Amino acid sequence: MIRIGIDPSMQSTGVCVYNVDEDTNIYYIVPSKMTKKMEAFHHPYVTLLPYQKESTTDMEYSEKEYTKTWNFVRLCEQISRIISDTITRWPDNHEIEFTMEGISYGSAGGGQVADLAGLNYMIRTLFVQQKVNFTIVPPTKLKSFAVGNGAADKDVMVASWKKLDKNICGISDIKIDDLADAYFLAHYEE
C-alpha cells in the first residue's frame, strides 16, 4: 500500500509518499518559485518540482481570476506527475490512498482562503478523476495526531517529524514545514 499525504499551498505544496510495506518515505516540494537555496538543494529523499506561477499583480478582476485558475492547473499537473511517478516506481502496488489537509479558514485573509479553497477542491477533483480514495483532515486534528496539540506551531511539527524520519533530519536550508505536515498526513490514522 502507498499512502500519499498532501499539504496544499499556492506557495509551497508539500507531498509525502509513504510506502507502508517498505516503511519508506519520499518527499516532494511543489514551489511557486525557486530560490537560490532551492536551486542548490540536493537530497536523496526530497525532490523539488516547481510550477510556473504567474503573477496576478495589477490585473483587472477577470484576467486575475483566469490567471489564478491556470496557476491551480499547473500546480495540479505537478501533483499528477507525482502520482504517475509513484505508480511507475512501485508498479505492483495498486492500492494508493491520499490524505490531504483541509482548509484552515482562520489562518489567512479572505482572498487567500478563497484561493486555498479553490486549490483544495481542484486537487480533490483530481482524486475523483483518478478514482482514488482520499481523506480530508482538519488542520487541528492533524496537529493533535502529530504532536498531541491541535494548536501546535510549525516548529513543533518539524521537530517531531525530524525525530521520526532520520533521513531528513539534516535539512535546514529550505522551507520544509509543508513536508512535515505531508509526512503526518501520509501516516495519519484516526
Side-chain angles (χ1 to χ4, degrees), residues 92-158:
D92 296 332
N93 201 330
H94 300 289
E95 188 176 357
I96 299 176
E97 292 180 356
F98 293 83
T99 306
M100 187 168 74
E101 188 169 38
I103 304 157
S104 178
Y105 293 101
S107 67
Q112 288 177 321
V113 170
D115 290 349
L116 284 172
L119 173 61
N120 203 293
Y121 281 94
M122 273 189 97
I123 295 171
R124 293 178 197 195
T125 301
L126 188 80
F127 298 155
V128 170
Q129 290 170 338
Q130 300 259 344
K131 296 180 172 82
V132 295
N133 294 326
F134 66 96
T135 301
I136 306 300
V137 180
T140 54
K141 201 167 185 181
L142 176 65
K143 291 175 182 181
S144 291
F145 166 77
V147 297
N149 177 356
D153 67 18
K154 294 176 186 217
D155 292 337
V156 172
M157 295 285 285
V158 169

Side-chain angles (χ1 to χ4, degrees), residues 1-6 15-21 79-80 82-99 127 130-135 186:
M1 171 185 281
I2 305 294
R3 301 187 71 202
I4 299 177
I6 302 175
V15 180
C16 174
V17 178
Y18 172 45
N19 185 319
V20 177
D21 301 327
I79 293 172
S80 289
I82 293 167
I83 295 168
S84 294
D85 288 352
T86 300
I87 292 167
T88 300
R89 186 178 190 137
W90 293 293
D92 296 332
N93 201 330
H94 300 289
E95 188 176 357
I96 299 176
E97 292 180 356
F98 293 83
T99 306
F127 298 155
Q130 300 259 344
K131 296 180 172 82
V132 295
N133 294 326
F134 66 96
T135 301

